[in-house]
Amino acid sequence: MIGIQNAAFISSLINSFVGMEIETHRVNPSGELSTQPYPAGLLDEKKHHFIKNDFLETQSELITPPEADTKQAMTYLGSYHQALRSALADDEYLWPYSMPPKLKPDHSDIEIAQTDHENYVYRKQVAKIRQIERTAETGVHVNVGLTPAAINQLGAQSDQDAIDQLYLQAAVGFMRYRWLLTYLFGATPFAFDNYFSEKTDAPAGPVRSLRNSHFGFGNGFLASYRSVSEYVRDIEDAVTHHDIIAEREYYGTVRLKRSADLE
């Protein structure tokens, strides 16, 4: 295990590349999911790199490029947010919470995004297995990449195995303290009307974070973080045994990514 030996190491870790993916719903003045189409003032949703439709038709996702300066990342985020707000219909607003707004009892107002046929079919499968109302939850994904300076200061240089261990150590550390991060920053204490079905054993009162509980958008499967090869093998085995539909359906607290192809 690689240890942090001085303040320079801490500085290098803090000044990592950071990118963000922020999800939010478009809603109408009554606080219900919008029935308006994807904002016409934006670029084609299939080609836009920074503002996309996520899982659902009303679920916009803002994606910032990786920046070593977090202030710059926040500047990008503010610009994209303003662009999305400016493109909304006159009777549309952005929903500020992770749990979806009040839904119709039959959830017919939850419409899966039709960005392309392959993604649509995949999302239909996920929604059927995981419960479609859970796909309406939104969240924040933070993408972190170590800078070359940080990798060198931590003693990994160009040794890919050592670099892998750095990321694995960070992933395990994040998951170890997830309870504390949820306690400090989690804020989804209750769900709005018709989120829970009558058959769901829902909480009787407010909780710290429904989004991070077993009611969240997960699948209960956790890959090994002992090594990159075990991580890849476990996910591939899960697909083979139909525990998950595809590699991209792995919704672990921390996901290791390098390219679109897991292997």
Side-chain angles (χ1 to χ4, degrees):
M1 181 174 289
I2 298 171
I4 296 175
Q5 299 174 15
N6 57 45
F9 285 6
I10 297 174
S11 176
S12 294
L13 288 172
I14 291 174
N15 294 308
S16 298
F17 291 112
V18 175
M20 291 172 285
E21 301 171 17
I22 314 294
E23 302 163 352
T24 184
H25 279 293
R26 293 181 288 112
V27 297
N28 64 25
S30 299
E32 301 163 331
L33 293 178
S34 175
T35 58
Q36 298 285 351
Y38 181 81
L42 299 175
L43 296 173
D44 186 336
E45 62 180 302
K46 299 176 184 178
K47 300 178 181 179
H48 206 300
H49 294 295
F50 308 119
I51 304 177
K52 297 177 178 291
N53 260 7
D54 197 51
F55 206 96
L56 303 177
E57 195 64 35
T58 60
Q59 198 174 45
S60 299
E61 183 177 37
L62 310 179
I63 305 170
T64 71
E67 288 286 340
D69 184 346
T70 54
K71 290 183 179 179
Q72 183 60 47
M74 293 301 292
T75 298
Y76 278 125
L77 180 61
S79 298
Y80 302 156
H81 192 266
Q82 184 58 44
L84 175 59
R85 283 169 56 90
S86 299
L88 296 178
D90 291 340
D91 61 346
E92 277 189 313
Y93 302 89
L94 295 179
W95 185 249
Y97 303 113
S98 295
M99 299 303 288
K102 57 183 178 182
L103 302 170
K104 292 182 178 180
D106 62 357
H107 295 161
S108 60
D109 50 344
I110 304 177
E111 183 180 354
I112 294 174
Q114 300 190 43
T115 52
D116 59 66
H117 180 70
E118 180 182 353
N119 275 319
Y120 181 72
V121 171
Y122 163 75
R123 290 168 178 172
K124 287 277 286 186
Q125 289 178 300
V126 172
K128 183 178 181 180
I129 294 172
R130 308 297 173 203
Q131 297 178 316
I132 193 167
E133 65 272 19
R134 295 192 183 186
T135 70
E137 295 178 5
T138 58
V140 177
H141 299 156
V142 180
N143 302 311
V144 179
L146 295 171
T147 63
I151 290 172
N152 288 334
Q153 287 186 7
L154 290 168
Q157 282 81 36
S158 58
D159 183 343
Q160 189 58 52
D161 288 339
I163 293 172
D164 288 347
Q165 284 303 313
L166 283 178
Y167 281 106
L168 288 166
Q169 186 175 339
V172 172
F174 185 92
M175 290 188 288
R176 180 180 181 184
Y177 292 103
R178 180 188 179 189
W179 67 271
L180 178 59
L181 294 167
T182 300
Y183 177 77
L184 293 175
F185 303 111
T188 50
F190 60 90
F192 294 87
D193 293 351
N194 300 320
Y195 176 81
F196 291 116
S197 69
E198 294 181 356
K199 298 179 181 179
T200 303
D201 185 18
V207 299
R208 188 62 187 167
S209 179
L210 287 171
R211 179 68 174 80
N212 288 288
S213 73
H214 62 284
F215 294 111
F217 186 35
N219 48 40
F221 164 68
L222 183 67
S224 170
Y225 288 81
R226 284 189 292 262
S227 69
V228 170
S229 60
E230 287 188 54
Y231 173 88
V232 172
R233 183 199 63 203
D234 283 359
I235 294 176
E236 290 179 335
D237 286 349
V239 175
T240 300
H241 297 127
H242 307 292
D243 295 321
I244 57 177
I245 297 171
E247 295 170 355
R248 59 178 169 164
E249 201 207 346
Y250 179 62
Y251 299 126
T253 305
V254 179
R255 285 175 282 181
L256 307 177
K257 291 187 175 183
R258 187 176 183 183
S259 66
D261 180 29
L262 176 67
E263 184 177 351

